[in-house]
Amino acid sequence: MQTKQAIILGGGTSVLEGINSGLFEKIQQKFTVGLNFSHHFFRSTILMFVDETFIADQKYSLKQLPLIIGKQDSGAALSTNSYLFPATHGYQRDCSSGIYKSTLVGIFALSFLIYVMDEGEIFLLGYDYGAKKGKGDQGRAYDHSGHALTHWYQEGNLLSVYTGQPEQIEHRGLGKVSWYEALHRDGKHSKPIPRAEHEFEVYRNESKVKIYNVSLDSKIPTFSKISYEQFYQMLNCESYDQNALREEIRTKTIELIKAQKG
C-alpha cells in the first residue's frame, strides 16, 4: 500500500484524551479504520463491524458510507460498498480460511488490517479492554446514568457528523465490563489467564507490522503502550487521498474473497 501507517479507532474511553487534544483533526487524511459507532463522529477511510444488532440499528446511515468490511452471518451486504467475510477462531496471517476473530470487532479489524498492510505500523486507539479508571465503586468511572464508563461516545456530548448536534449513542455493550474481566481457562497455561492476554496473544510474534496501543491504562499486555503525545510524534506528515486508499483496500478485499473461495 502507499501508506505504511494505519490507525484503528476503537471504542474505549482513552480516545477522549485524544479528542481533547485535537485527534480528529490530526488523523483526518490518514489511513483510518473506524469501528462500529465511530462513524457518527468521525469519517474513517473504512468502517468495520461484526455484530448483527449493529447492522439492524445502523442500516440507513451505513448505506451512505463509501467502504464497509464486516463479518458474514451478521446480515446481508448493505450495498456494493460492503464486503462480508467468515470469521475463524484460529489465526492465519493471510486470512485464507477466515478472519480471526469475531468476539470483538477490534480483533477482527486488526487481523484484517495486518493482511491488507503486510508491513508497517498500526496504532490502536480505544483498545482499553474495560472501564475507565475512577474513584467510584471498584475503582471505575461512571456516566451520568450510573453505567461504568466504557466508551468514548457514551455521555452524549460529542457532535454528530450527520447532524452537527450532540448525539447520544446507546447499545448493549455500554457499561458492560464482565466480559473483559473474565478469565480464560485452557490446557496451555498452568492457571487461568486474563481474557485480554488470551485474545491477543496470537499477535505476539508478528514481526512485519509493529503494533502500538495508544492507551497507557489498557489491560491488553501484548503490545507496546504509548501516550497520545508519543502517538502524535510518531505520525508521519503525509496526507492520503481517501478514495485512492479505498480502491487499494477494495482490491485487496476482492483478492481475499477469491483466495477464500479457492
Side-chain angles (χ1 to χ4, degrees):
M1 296 191 67
Q2 61 172 302
T3 172
K4 293 303 179 184
Q5 285 189 335
I7 300 156
I8 305 180
L9 180 58
T13 54
S14 60
V15 173
L16 288 171
E17 180 184 348
I19 292 173
N20 292 333
S21 58
L23 170 67
F24 290 164
E25 291 77 14
K26 290 178 171 65
I27 65 173
Q28 193 68 241
Q29 298 300 320
K30 305 300 183 183
F31 177 18
T32 54
V33 178
L35 306 185
N36 291 339
F37 297 90
S38 66
H39 72 95
H40 285 265
F41 307 99
F42 180 76
R43 291 284 169 82
S44 299
T45 310
I46 62 174
L47 184 81
M48 296 191 67
F49 71 93
V50 295
D51 190 344
E52 67 248 20
T53 61
F54 170 76
I55 286 297
D57 291 341
Q58 302 287 299
K59 185 171 293 187
Y60 175 75
S61 55
L62 293 179
K63 287 181 179 180
Q64 305 175 53
L65 301 182
L67 185 58
I68 306 169
I69 308 292
K71 181 180 78 78
Q72 280 182 2
D73 305 322
S74 55
L78 295 161
S79 66
T80 56
N81 292 327
S82 63
Y83 299 87
L84 304 181
F85 289 96
T88 178
H89 291 290
Y91 178 66
Q92 293 177 305
R93 197 178 190 275
D94 63 3
C95 300
S96 57
S97 297
I99 298 176
Y100 174 88
K101 75 185 203 171
S102 62
T103 50
L104 278 180
V105 65
I107 299 173
F108 191 85
L110 178 55
S111 297
F112 178 76
L113 198 49
I114 290 172
Y115 156 76
V116 167
M117 292 189 69
D118 187 49
E119 61 181 358
E121 296 176 325
I122 296 175
F123 297 97
L124 309 178
L125 277 55
Y127 278 60
D128 304 335
Y129 224 80
K132 183 179 180 180
K133 291 181 179 179
K135 297 181 180 180
D137 181 44
Q138 300 188 51
R140 298 182 185 132
Y142 292 84
D143 65 19
H144 54 273
S145 299
H147 300 120
L149 199 57
T150 54
H151 293 73
W152 52 268
Y153 45 74
Q154 189 168 337
E155 295 191 286
N157 54 1
L158 298 175
L159 300 183
S160 166
V161 298
Y162 296 108
T163 67
Q165 300 298 315
E167 182 172 5
Q168 179 74 53
I169 297 289
E170 294 191 16
H171 61 80
R172 64 181 182 174
L174 293 180
K176 302 295 178 59
V177 296
S178 58
W179 191 90
Y180 300 103
E181 294 177 349
L183 295 176
H184 172 77
R185 295 169 173 83
D186 62 24
K188 295 187 343 184
H189 302 89
S190 59
K191 61 180 181 179
I193 62 172
R195 176 170 269 171
E197 182 177 345
H198 165 69
E199 297 284 353
F200 288 91
E201 67 180 351
V202 298
Y203 306 109
R204 193 174 295 279
N205 296 322
E206 173 59 44
S207 59
K208 295 178 70 176
V209 174
K210 179 63 178 176
I211 304 166
Y212 298 95
N213 189 349
V214 190
S215 175
L216 295 177
D217 290 331
S218 174
K219 293 183 175 69
I220 303 170
T222 312
F223 314 115
S224 299
K225 299 176 188 179
I226 62 174
S227 67
Y228 270 92
E229 182 179 1
Q230 291 172 296
F231 167 56
Y232 296 147
Q233 291 173 350
M234 295 172 70
L235 275 180
N236 62 37
C237 59
E238 297 181 66
S239 296
Y240 299 101
D241 182 307
Q242 296 296 292
N243 288 329
L245 275 179
R246 290 181 187 114
E247 286 308 307
E248 288 189 69
I249 297 162
R250 198 185 308 272
T251 297
K252 295 284 287 186
T253 298
I254 293 171
E255 289 175 357
L256 181 55
I257 291 172
K258 291 179 179 178
Q260 288 179 345
K261 289 181 178 179

